[in-house]
Amino acid sequence: MKILVINGPNLNLLGLREPALYGSKNFAALQEFILTAAKDLGLEVELFQSNHEGCIVDAIQEAYNRYDGILINPAAYTHTSVAILDALKAVALPCVEVHLTDISTREKFRQFSYVSLYAEHTICGQGFEGYRQGLEYLKENYDKQ
Ligand code: DQA
């Protein structure tokens, strides 16, 4: 099973970025964590990060027929992007949404997620571990083998 893992804007600044909220480990450590979790679960993953909404839309479109599922942390675009929601609906791949922090207890503007209108499962507030749980969910629910 092949999963595309998408990380949105500013996640490349993990470690530097508001460490009290997002932790002190950097983005390379997150990527390493995801690759290790995927290997343990016997999943193939490709990692994609962009600070640009259109690039994320392109990556989702290009996932059609190439991946069996998408794990996405849309970061700030979670709360604003109808374009990312529409792209997910268009390719209609199994999708899990993940957030490092618990967006339901943060500022009001973070409490609504466009991506949740499509994603069938959302994991919040588990830090890096949420990515492992998201991969596990996709494997348990969609691995045809
Ligand atoms: C985030 C939460 C978003 O509100 C924020 O804009 C991010 C990261 C998270 O992982 O907790 O960039 O998606």
Side-chain angles (χ1 to χ4, degrees):
M1 187 182 191
K2 205 169 167 193
I3 309 291
L4 177 62
V5 180
I6 299 176
N7 279 298
N10 300 307
L11 290 167
N12 57 313
L13 293 186
L14 282 179
L16 171 76
R17 176 190 186 198
E18 300 180 86
L21 270 177
Y22 296 110
S24 56
K25 290 187 184 157
N26 65 16
F27 186 62
L30 175 62
Q31 288 182 299
E32 199 55 48
F33 179 91
I34 296 167
L35 292 174
T36 303
K39 200 172 165 209
D40 291 347
L41 290 163
L43 296 170
E44 243 183 280
V45 289
E46 194 166 306
L47 305 177
F48 177 81
Q49 191 277 331
S50 178
N51 295 323
H52 306 280
E53 185 175 19
C55 295
I56 295 171
V57 170
D58 287 344
I60 294 167
Q61 289 187 6
E62 285 160 19
Y64 183 70
N65 266 342
R66 293 183 55 219
Y67 293 90
D68 305 302
I70 294 176
L71 176 63
I72 183 166
N73 183 346
Y77 291 135
T78 305
H79 320 293
T80 62
S81 183
V82 177
I84 290 174
L85 169 65
D86 284 350
L88 290 169
K89 287 167 99 170
V91 300
L93 287 166
C95 175
V96 173
E97 173 185 8
V98 62
H99 298 281
L100 294 161
T101 61
D102 184 359
I103 55 173
S104 71
T105 59
R106 295 185 61 190
E107 304 96 315
K108 199 100 204 127
F109 68 88
R110 294 186 201 274
Q111 293 178 14
F112 175 77
S113 164
Y114 281 100
V115 168
S116 287
L117 300 177
Y118 177 76
E120 88 181 48
H121 187 53
T122 300
I123 300 162
C124 290
Q126 307 289 315
F128 286 12
E129 171 61 18
Y131 287 78
R132 195 193 59 73
Q133 290 174 16
L135 291 175
E136 198 169 46
Y137 182 94
L138 288 166
K139 182 186 162 89
E140 277 173 10
N141 290 280
Y142 293 101
D143 200 349
K144 290 165 207 104
Q145 289 163 29

